[in-house]
Amino acid sequence: LTRHDLGREKLVERIWEWKAQYEKRILSQLKQLGASCDWQRLRFTLDDQCARAVRETFFKLFADNKVYRGKRLVNWDTFLQTAVSDDEVFHEATKGHFWHFNYPVIGVSGEGPKPGEPTHVTIATTRPETMLGDTAVAVHPDPAKAFDKVSAELREKIIAASSKEKGELEEQATLLLARRAKMLPQLEKLRDMALRQVQLQLPLTGRTIPLICDEWAKPELGSGCVKITPAHDENDYQVWQRSLARKGVAIGAINIMNTDGTLNENVPEKYRGLSMKKAREAVIADMEVAELLVETEDREIELAHSDRSKTPIEPYLADQWFVKMDELAESAMDAVSDGRVKIVPERYKKTYLDWLSEKRDWPVGRQLWWGHRVPVWTKRFEGLSQRDSIIAESTRIDDAIGYGDDTCFTMSHDPDGTDGVAYLCFRVAQPEGEAEAESLGYIQDDEVLDTWFSSALWPHSTLGWPEQTPELAHFYPTSTLITSRDIITLWVARMVLAGLYNMNEIPFHEVFIHPKILDGYGETMSKSKGNGVDPLDVIEKFGADSLRFGIAYLCTETQDVRLPVEFECPHCHALIPQTKKNRTLPRIECDKCKQPFGTQWALSYGTAEDQALPRGAAVSERFELGRNFCNKLWNASRFALMNLEDYKAATAGRADVKTATDGGVFVAEKELLLEDRWLLSRLATVTGEVTEALDQYRFADAARALYGFAWDEFCSFYVEMVKARFAVAEQKAVAQRVLAHALDTLLRLLHPMTPFLSEEVWQLLAEVAPCRGLTSPARPAESVCIAEWPKVDTIWIDKSIEAQFAKFQTVMGAVRNIRMEKNIPPREPVQFSVKCDAETVKLLKPMEPYFLSMAGATATAWGPKVTPPERSASKPLEGMEVHVDISAFFDAGAERTRLEKERDQLAKFVDSLNAKLSNENFVSRAPANVVEEQRAKLAEVRGQLQSVEAALGKLE
RNA sequence: GGGCGGCUAGCUCAGUUGGUUAGAGCGCUACGUUCACACCGUAGAGGUCACAAGUUCGAGUCUUGUGUCGCCCACCA
């Protein structure tokens, strides 16, 4: 349905119906979540406020002389915005024809062509119907020069071209030369005719049009002459503009199209009311009858197409409201240049500044029927007397309303006389004033304002402007605007300039431009394409925190994100990939269970049967990451809570304690085990990383840091280790305190990304451990969302502790690795020994219980003099050797294979290091520390290689 | 046509100021359900970092060019 089918009132009614449907859905979902919302009140408040602010702004601009009436070409989507039926619009995308027409020459003041001059000018067009709006035919002002220029360009191309393309290009050059020889005299003759202002007969219309000179005519194409239709073609429009700027012949512009896509009263009667497509047929037929159709040529043509209807766009000339941008744009540029508004990432500053620097006036009118209507009433006048009476009337209207500040009256005159238009603008809706104006013959403008006009006011209009509300005073300017890059110019720039204009103050301090989510094919998700995911479906399937965390995880600085979409079969829960084909279908059959289900389209254009089908959700597997993570967190939290039942807070003020950053106290330092100090160090480091990442809008970095820490360090190591300590009475209390504290901090850090989960655990944690904290045990906030953001406890950050712990992890990894490679059954106990220095022994010996619980391995010996058992699998590590006794599983062949593989790898590494170090350039030019590092590495790896070779030798 | 960005494992993406043998999740392979978690655990396989030239002792990282995909703007950045 188009607006013409319905009429304005019905259309608006329909839109409200659609809105109401959406609201109902949202409301019911809010209810399910237990939320309440006075939606009606909110909606009307916002709508009223918005309308008021729009009118106020427009009035200010109008009174400030920043609004004017101008002309521009509007790209008209004939299919979507007009009443013509589907078969009356052009659908061909690239196939088309060139029609060659002859326009008779009637010379200067009708005396006909001079002897030797052509009697006809031939033009070619892909859109014959537009000839009814022609206002000139153009020929190049200097065809010889134009030919030379094209030839020169072609020659440059030939030089740069590959040999394959060369032949073709050279052929083109030859043709061009031949054409030049043949056509130049004729074109120069036409140019001379244009200079003496020769007129042509425009067939079918009875009008005469001038032959003019303009660079748009291309001597190398067609006949070298081009018809000019300024009201329906962008390039012709430019020709018109140039002709106005030049002295001499100024051509006109005739719009031949109604807004419903039919021809208007500016064409001869027989064509009026025809659609453009029908008019084309008629024009061609009539030209043929008049014997002015020279030939028809098949051609591939490029036309601008509407993104939505896929039909070609019909440009047409329209009178429009413009807002002058010079001062406004300047103010918005300054705000960013001098840093009052900071754009993140910074490269988008360029987009913003470049666009504004053009200071192109903003056409604010739109030929739609929904939106804020332009609050201007107009009345045409002819002659001075009418003009004077209109001025008198305007005073009367003012009087009728009673306050003159709220109306603004201006007039514009036609360029050529005393006729013109009077404009009345009302500041606020004034039924009496408007009625008075209408009774005097004023008509309200039919256009509505660009949607970005009201959007530009968003930061202050939503806070009640133009009233000076407390909200406005408190919240304006806001802190950060978060948006997508494709509306930096449309929205961000305009919000800044509107804010500065209305409020005299920027609307926000920072603008964060986030990446954009695309579908699996790299296309922008959109409702009309049907390739989106419904966040509500994602929440239904994966959970709200999973969605939120998943999005944060994807929010990297540079990249757009591809999100392959799948339908979830409501019957068997299989996932069916969304394809370009199935994404617009109202019903789909499941690949797996072969049962049909409905999609989001079932409601809009499915049959009743489709609508009755259960709906398949549109989701993406990429949110599994978030779901798994949340699940992991939940289970780890459950474990912690279970084991904190007899938790006792630490007592403050003990003498033998480590003093923390803020002077508070915890447990004795000597009570803390290596793993505690490792965890606290990591926790402090990660807190710093997350805080910094969030401060800089690096959401993915924050999410990744938390994911890695929570899963690989907190769960996989600390929680695993703490299990063993809970079994030992005297170790339990300290472990509990550290665990409670770590979980507490982790929840605070996670809260921005997993608010529901962290809040739930926070509440449960408060039950078992109401008083917690490292430095000064205290009762935390009653909700995590108001809990203080964790500070970085730098006192715990200890790189040497982390390095020591890494040693433990490496040995653990080596033992596990050997177990797997030797196919030792998981529950089979093994024994191992480690050759290492005395310091490492001190470090690792206390960890023996963990080797048992986490790798099923018992240590038999530690120290520098350890020798491998008779039948063992060995692994060289940095400064250590791990030997696992595998007498029960010994397989000499397999062990040899493993060692040989290891040897080859190490040998390769040694070679590459050797090569580097024997390169004199490297040794002399690289920084000393880098060279030293490489040397140390080489020594280390050589040692490892030797031990592998020794183990191999022993096997023999 | 101009501007911006992407191209790294089968897929989706990280990769700081150039410096060890380039990482993660999913998927894949093998093994494992007994004490938080199979939405799990342990281990493993998998990469000519789009291509070409250059700078450098050394390039995924810097420079230039080419290809390709995407977005924005298009008489003008």
Side-chain angles (χ1 to χ4, degrees):
Chain A
L1 289 175
T2 72
R3 63 197 197 119
H4 290 275
D5 295 326
L6 291 165
R8 185 172 217 139
E9 262 172 44
K10 279 227 176 109
L11 185 71
V12 171
E13 212 173 275
R14 278 295 285 274
I15 289 167
W16 281 105
E17 274 171 30
W18 289 328
K19 269 183 110 168
Q21 277 178 22
Y22 251 99
E23 285 163 16
K24 230 168 129 186
R25 185 171 167 207
I26 292 167
L27 272 178
S28 79
Q29 272 152 355
L30 281 172
K31 251 183 212 155
Q32 275 178 24
L33 294 168
S36 67
C37 170
D38 190 345
W39 187 263
Q40 290 289 317
R41 192 174 148 259
L42 181 66
R43 190 185 82 195
F44 284 116
T45 309
L46 289 180
D47 283 352
D48 287 351
Q49 272 180 21
C50 188
R52 170 89 199 278
V54 164
R55 233 171 143 147
E56 174 73 17
T57 308
F58 190 89
F59 182 83
K60 270 183 76 180
L61 290 165
F62 191 87
D64 245 5
N65 268 323
K66 287 195 188 300
V67 174
Y68 69 94
R69 205 69 185 143
K71 284 188 189 298
R72 83 171 175 127
L73 274 191
V74 174
N75 286 330
W76 199 243
D77 184 329
T78 45
F79 181 72
L80 276 185
Q81 307 202 352
T82 69
V84 296
S85 63
D86 190 41
D87 58 344
E88 290 198 39
V89 296
F90 300 109
H91 282 284
E92 304 85 17
T94 52
K95 276 183 205 160
H97 306 285
F98 257 124
W99 283 274
H100 296 254
F101 289 161
N102 271 343
Y103 290 0
V105 175
I106 55 176
V108 180
S109 39
E111 93 277 19
K114 282 190 176 174
E117 285 181 351
T119 57
H120 290 85
V121 175
T122 308
I123 52 95
T125 179
T126 56
R127 298 191 299 156
E129 67 283 3
T130 62
M131 64 88 67
L132 299 170
D134 282 0
T135 57
V137 168
V139 63
H140 198 278
D142 191 347
K145 205 171 134 194
F147 269 122
D148 291 346
K149 201 178 153 201
V150 177
S151 295
E153 281 169 7
L154 205 53
R155 272 199 297 277
E156 262 175 42
K157 254 195 202 164
I158 290 171
I159 292 165
S162 66
S163 55
K164 205 168 128 196
E165 297 162 326
K166 237 170 208 162
E168 198 181 317
L169 287 171
E170 270 162 9
E171 196 177 322
Q172 271 182 38
T174 319
L175 284 174
L176 188 68
L177 282 180
R179 182 185 167 89
R180 181 193 162 112
K182 188 178 147 205
M183 296 198 51
L184 192 56
Q186 176 83 346
L187 287 172
E188 284 179 335
K189 206 170 276 173
L190 285 167
R191 188 262 322 270
D192 295 340
M193 288 164 72
L195 291 176
R196 25 187 282 264
Q197 305 191 0
V198 159
Q199 297 284 310
L200 307 175
Q201 171 80 48
L202 183 63
L204 313 185
T205 63
R207 286 196 283 120
T208 59
I209 55 173
L211 183 64
I212 62 164
C213 290
D214 193 280
E215 292 80 2
W216 172 237
K218 305 276 180 246
E220 71 275 15
L221 296 176
S223 66
C225 295
V226 60
K227 70 193 261 309
I228 305 297
T229 322
H232 297 281
D233 183 277
E234 183 61 41
N235 291 305
D236 294 0
Y237 176 83
Q238 301 303 332
V239 174
W240 175 48
Q241 292 296 305
R242 281 195 289 271
S243 87
L244 293 178
R246 260 198 298 262
K247 282 178 192 160
V249 190
I251 62 172
I254 299 175
N255 176 25
I256 59 167
M257 200 177 86
N258 289 315
T259 51
D260 66 357
T262 59
L263 294 187
N264 67 13
E265 70 283 355
N266 291 330
V267 301
E269 189 148 9
K270 69 172 292 197
Y271 304 109
R272 275 176 214 168
L274 294 181
S275 67
M276 296 297 263
K277 193 175 182 181
K278 288 243 167 83
R280 176 176 296 185
E281 290 158 17
V283 165
I284 294 165
D286 292 347
M287 288 297 278
E288 199 161 10
V289 169
E291 294 183 352
L292 292 170
L293 175 63
V294 186
E295 60 167 320
T296 308
E297 179 191 348
D298 286 338
R299 249 312 170 80
E300 297 243 317
I301 49 174
E302 276 179 43
L303 282 178
H305 282 69
S306 161
D307 186 44
R308 291 184 62 193
S309 69
K310 311 298 171 208
T311 57
I313 280 161
E314 296 278 357
Y316 89 105
L317 191 64
D319 280 325
Q320 293 261 299
W321 291 102
F322 286 84
V323 172
K324 281 186 201 158
M325 290 294 277
D326 44 4
E327 287 169 26
L328 293 173
E330 190 68 48
S331 71
M333 285 174 76
D334 289 347
V336 165
S337 309
D338 65 23
R340 274 176 293 155
V341 175
K342 193 180 149 207
I343 296 178
V344 183
E346 213 185 335
R347 65 171 180 280
Y348 292 115
K349 218 166 129 175
K350 186 172 159 58
T351 312
Y352 175 97
L353 290 175
D354 284 352
W355 183 78
L356 279 175
S357 69
E358 283 180 58
K359 299 182 183 169
R360 190 178 305 176
D361 288 347
W362 178 12
V364 288
R366 291 291 177 271
Q367 293 66 46
L368 304 169
W369 283 358
W370 52 92
H372 300 280
R373 216 165 156 183
V374 175
V376 175
W377 277 254
T378 57
K379 184 177 177 182
R380 229 191 128 68
F381 61 82
E382 280 161 13
L384 284 174
S385 63
Q386 273 191 17
R387 183 178 154 233
D388 290 343
S389 66
I390 277 182
I391 293 171
E393 279 166 17
S394 74
T395 327
R396 253 179 58 205
I397 296 170
D398 240 1
D399 291 347
I401 301 157
Y403 35 93
D405 285 351
D406 289 346
T407 60
C408 188
F409 175 80
T410 62
M411 288 191 291
S412 71
H413 292 84
D414 295 350
D416 51 352
T418 50
D419 302 351
V421 185
Y423 303 99
L424 258 179
C425 182
F426 294 96
R427 183 177 214 140
V428 289
Q430 290 164 339
E432 317 96 73
E434 289 164 15
E436 180 72 22
E438 276 164 22
S439 74
L440 289 169
Y442 279 86
I443 298 166
Q444 187 179 4
D445 206 286
D446 220 22
E447 290 178 14
V448 299
L449 291 164
D450 182 6
T451 178
W452 299 109
F453 190 91
S454 51
S455 306
L457 310 180
W458 189 86
H460 53 282
S461 68
T462 48
L463 295 171
W465 185 89
E467 300 303 325
Q468 294 302 316
T469 62
E471 289 84 0
L472 191 63
H474 185 261
F475 289 109
Y476 192 94
T478 57
S479 54
T480 306
L481 174 82
I482 300 188
T483 192
S484 173
R485 88 181 97 78
D486 36 5
I487 51 178
I488 291 172
T489 51
L490 290 173
W491 195 28
V492 180
R494 279 162 182 164
M495 278 197 282
V496 175
L497 64 86
L500 288 167
Y501 183 68
N502 282 340
M503 297 290 298
N504 217 6
E505 170 69 281
I506 50 159
F508 29 70
H509 296 289
E510 294 193 339
V511 178
F512 172 62
I513 309 292
H514 58 69
K516 204 169 155 179
I517 299 218
L518 310 171
D519 73 359
Y521 301 98
E523 293 179 24
T524 303
M525 286 185 173
S526 76
K527 271 187 103 171
S528 48
K529 268 194 277 193
N531 57 347
V533 285
D534 189 335
L536 293 170
D537 283 344
V538 176
I539 289 172
E540 186 70 26
K541 185 170 164 64
F542 296 106
D545 282 354
S546 307
L547 170 67
R548 195 182 179 104
F549 187 85
I551 292 286
Y553 193 88
L554 295 174
C555 188
T556 54
E557 202 191 303
T558 51
Q559 292 243 69
D560 285 343
V561 177
R562 282 189 190 209
L563 197 76
V565 180
E566 297 108 23
F567 292 107
E568 191 191 24
C569 171
H571 310 289
C572 69
H573 300 286
L575 290 173
I576 297 117
Q578 191 182 68
T579 60
K580 289 188 185 189
K581 211 169 178 182
N582 71 15
R583 73 190 185 192
T584 50
L585 301 177
R587 73 188 283 168
I588 294 172
E589 190 180 271
C590 174
D591 291 344
K592 206 171 150 201
C593 68
K594 305 293 172 199
Q595 290 189 73
F597 60 86
T599 69
Q600 56 165 327
W601 300 108
L603 274 179
S604 0
Y605 64 85
T607 61
E609 200 189 325
D610 296 337
Q611 288 174 19
L613 290 170
R615 197 175 75 90
V619 295
S620 177
E621 277 184 307
R622 298 206 57 196
F623 292 106
E624 279 179 3
L625 174 105
R627 180 196 56 189
N628 296 352
F629 181 59
C630 290
N631 190 257
K632 185 77 181 175
L633 286 172
W634 175 245
N635 282 307
S637 301
R638 259 188 342 126
F639 169 82
L641 292 165
M642 264 165 23
N643 286 287
L644 286 175
E645 269 165 10
D646 55 347
Y647 167 90
K648 281 190 200 69
T651 27
R654 285 168 56 179
D656 57 341
V657 297
K658 179 169 185 170
T659 304
T661 339
D662 64 354
V665 287
F666 182 49
V667 286
E669 195 178 355
K670 64 184 178 194
E671 287 178 346
L672 288 178
L673 303 184
L674 174 68
E675 55 269 34
D676 294 326
R677 298 185 44 192
W678 165 75
L679 183 78
L680 293 173
S681 176
R682 291 294 306 137
L683 192 60
T685 306
V686 168
T687 300
E689 284 169 11
V690 172
T691 308
E692 200 189 329
L694 289 180
D695 279 346
Q696 298 173 3
Y697 304 107
R698 290 185 285 111
F699 298 109
D701 286 350
R704 281 161 212 255
L706 282 168
Y707 185 97
F709 173 72
W711 201 309
D712 299 334
E713 300 185 305
F714 183 68
C715 291
S716 294
F717 276 92
Y718 193 73
V719 168
E720 287 304 322
M721 294 170 87
V722 120
K723 278 178 187 169
R725 289 164 74 192
F726 282 156
V728 184
E730 55 271 24
Q731 289 190 354
K732 195 170 183 186
V734 173
Q736 281 177 327
R737 284 169 203 154
V738 177
L739 182 65
H741 166 72
L743 185 58
D744 173 290
T745 308
L746 191 54
L747 290 173
R748 295 181 206 233
L749 292 174
L750 283 165
H751 180 259
M753 295 185 208
T754 59
F756 295 99
L757 174 62
S758 52
E759 186 67 59
E760 178 69 12
V761 177
W762 184 266
Q763 297 304 329
L764 295 171
L765 184 60
E767 283 171 25
V768 294
C771 182
R772 54 189 191 264
L774 256 194
T775 52
S776 44
R779 238 190 146 74
E782 63 180 307
S783 159
V784 68
C785 80
I786 52 168
E788 209 179 319
W789 185 254
K791 287 198 187 72
V792 183
D793 257 333
T794 45
I795 194 161
W796 296 115
I797 297 181
D798 187 336
K799 290 295 162 201
S800 70
I801 295 269
E802 290 187 23
Q804 287 174 9
F805 195 80
K807 263 191 179 165
F808 160 70
Q809 288 174 310
T810 316
V811 176
M812 175 75 76
V815 175
R816 283 170 165 176
N817 179 278
I818 291 170
R819 282 198 77 117
M820 291 305 288
E821 280 183 344
K822 297 289 138 206
N823 278 325
I824 300 171
R827 300 178 63 185
E828 191 71 38
V830 293
Q831 297 189 322
F832 72 104
S833 55
V834 178
K835 184 181 175 187
C836 58
D837 57 32
E839 205 175 319
T840 313
V841 176
K842 222 169 113 191
L843 185 76
L844 292 179
K845 191 134 188 10
M847 311 298 254
E848 279 179 354
Y850 304 134
F851 285 104
L852 186 59
S853 67
M854 293 167 76
T858 312
T860 51
W862 303 88
K865 292 188 181 141
V866 164
T867 49
E870 205 46 47
R871 295 183 152 182
S872 73
S874 308
K875 222 173 180 52
L877 305 169
E878 253 193 77
M880 299 181 280
E881 278 174 42
V882 174
H883 308 288
V884 176
D885 187 339
I886 51 165
S887 35
F889 311 94
F890 192 66
D891 176 345
E895 180 62 5
R896 185 178 299 116
T897 314
R898 191 182 71 83
L899 285 170
E900 278 167 0
K901 196 177 148 199
E902 190 128 20
R903 181 194 61 194
D904 292 347
Q905 260 178 9
L906 287 167
K908 220 171 109 192
F909 195 7
V910 167
D911 285 348
S912 88
L913 287 168
N914 261 331
K916 195 179 268 188
L917 284 164
S918 57
N919 179 349
E920 238 175 78
N921 277 328
F922 173 71
V923 179
S924 59
R925 297 198 201 178
N929 63 322
V930 172
V931 177
E932 207 35 60
E933 259 172 42
Q934 298 295 310
R935 285 212 171 106
K937 191 77 210 169
L938 179 60
E940 166 65 36
V941 177
R942 270 191 177 138
Q944 291 184 14
L945 184 57
Q946 273 163 20
S947 74
V948 168
E949 275 164 351
L952 267 172
K954 216 174 104 192
L955 267 181
E956 301 303 328

